[in-house]
Amino acid sequence: MKRALVVAAALALTVATATPASAYPAPGRVTGDIGVHDPSAVKRPDGTYLVAHTGNDIALKTSTDRVAFRNAGSVFPGGASWTNAYTGGSRNLWAPDLSYRNGQYYLYYSASTFGSNRSAIFLATSPSGNSGTWTHRGLVVETRTSDNVNAIDPDLVVDDQGRWWLSFGSFWSGIKMIALNPSTGLRSDSTIRSLAGRGGGAIEAPNIVKRGSYYYLFVSFDLCCQGASSTYRVMVGRSTSVTGPYVDRNGVALTSGGGTEVLAGQGGVHGTGHQDVLADNDGDVLVYHYYADNGASLLGINLLAIDSSGWPYVH
């Protein structure tokens, strides 16, 4: 009954006001090795699931049923020396974006240090997605401390015309987009497009999906990485064009700080964010991380749907 009321409330929303946090469903049931940060998930051709997330050499997990998860090693068990200039020698690589296209797995991922925009996004590919099978394909985009952009949190989207785009960004001037060459997966021109921003405020982790007539840009507002004190929340805007402009439910441009809340912390669930939308047999799934009361970062999964006004909600 409670779930039915939540869905009904979400369907009734007609303005861009934030839903009370108590209205959101709890994360769905997951078991096993569910310690993740910045998860990205893909459904494999055999029906199983592969998750990549922030960790040493990019951590991997697998599941046969989207409930029980187990450790599956790392993308680069031998290390990724080409990232050292951006990580200060740390093997901790961030915010992977995982997808399966053209018979192979693509992984965009970030190399940086906390609070710095001396950052880079790289690409790797694999025929199987398994640990140790990934090939380094090169640098996609980098930023320096003199830039007003931060090259972390990549997300690949392929538009209706088959063009490849990479959105990315964290703080600074906000969420950006570059065009990619579909043949290589690497950058194809020098243009940087602006998708969203909060005047230097906390916005990051873009994820774009096309549903119906709209491209939906999901982002995370506020602060991650503070354990149970994290204030991350999932926001969304939409556009009929993959490059924007994106607006929220009240018509406010995301480049002007707009955004409609989709999910926020409640009770013992803190800092919900770094979302990834996965299309599955039972509908869309929102994959994200949240923090428990003890500060542990855990895998969150909820079903995601579009209401009668064309706006996403979790259920």
Side-chain angles (χ1 to χ4, degrees):
M1 184 64 180
K2 183 177 180 182
R3 175 167 296 200
L5 290 172
V6 169
V7 174
L11 286 168
L13 285 174
T14 57
V15 295
T17 55
T19 303
S22 60
Y24 296 122
R29 179 175 174 264
V30 290
T31 64
D33 192 343
I34 59 168
V36 307
H37 201 275
D38 308 331
S40 180
V42 67
K43 191 166 187 179
R44 301 169 115 166
D46 65 1
T48 64
Y49 301 86
L50 180 67
V51 175
H53 62 95
T54 290
N56 284 354
D57 309 316
I58 298 292
L60 296 170
K61 288 181 170 55
T62 57
S63 175
T64 60
D65 58 5
R66 217 177 67 204
V67 174
F69 289 83
R70 66 175 184 83
N71 188 298
S74 65
V75 169
F76 303 115
S81 60
W82 54 90
T83 65
N84 288 345
Y86 307 92
T87 66
S90 170
R91 294 178 71 159
N92 191 39
L93 300 174
W94 299 352
D97 174 66
L98 182 64
S99 59
Y100 180 77
R101 301 179 187 278
N102 306 326
Q104 67 177 337
Y105 295 85
Y106 289 80
L107 187 80
Y108 292 90
Y109 60 97
S110 319
S112 189
T113 56
F114 199 79
S116 171
N117 69 332
R118 176 58 172 140
S119 309
I121 293 169
F122 294 92
L123 170 65
T125 62
S126 166
S128 69
N130 295 332
S131 175
T133 67
W134 293 85
T135 300
H136 170 52
R137 296 299 184 187
L139 174 71
V140 182
V141 60
E142 66 177 331
T143 51
R144 296 176 170 82
T145 55
S146 58
D147 294 324
N148 196 28
V149 182
N150 192 13
I152 67 169
D153 294 1
D155 179 73
L156 171 67
V157 62
V158 178
D159 69 18
D160 286 343
Q161 288 74 51
R163 298 175 299 181
W164 286 37
W165 305 92
L166 192 78
S167 59
F168 62 92
S170 172
F171 288 72
W172 276 269
S173 60
I175 306 302
K176 307 299 180 181
M177 174 179 272
I178 56 175
L180 302 178
N181 181 334
S183 298
T184 63
L186 302 178
R187 190 171 180 178
S188 63
D189 65 28
S190 60
T191 303
I192 296 182
R193 301 154 180 86
S194 293
L195 301 185
R198 300 179 76 192
I203 180 173
E204 54 192 9
N207 178 224
I208 298 175
V209 295
K210 176 77 182 296
R211 297 293 182 267
S213 300
Y214 294 103
Y215 293 91
Y216 291 90
L217 168 60
F218 294 85
V219 295
S220 294
F221 274 15
D222 302 335
L223 300 180
C224 85
C225 315
Q226 311 291 318
S229 298
S230 300
T231 54
Y232 241 18
R233 54 197 175 109
V234 180
M235 311 293 287
V236 74
R238 72 185 188 189
S239 174
T240 55
S241 169
V242 70
T243 56
Y246 288 87
V247 300
D248 68 14
R249 196 165 194 152
N250 211 33
V252 178
L254 266 65
T255 50
S256 299
T260 296
E261 193 174 278
V262 177
L263 182 64
Q266 59 180 337
V269 175
H270 309 278
T272 55
H274 207 100
Q275 62 292 320
D276 189 31
V277 177
L278 170 69
D280 209 342
N281 294 342
D282 54 345
D284 283 331
V285 178
L286 189 72
V287 179
Y288 57 96
H289 76 245
Y290 69 94
Y291 298 89
D293 286 334
N294 66 0
S297 180
L298 302 175
L299 177 64
I301 295 179
N302 287 97
L303 293 174
L304 183 76
I306 306 293
D307 70 19
S308 58
S309 297
W311 289 97
Y313 65 98
V314 294
H315 64 104

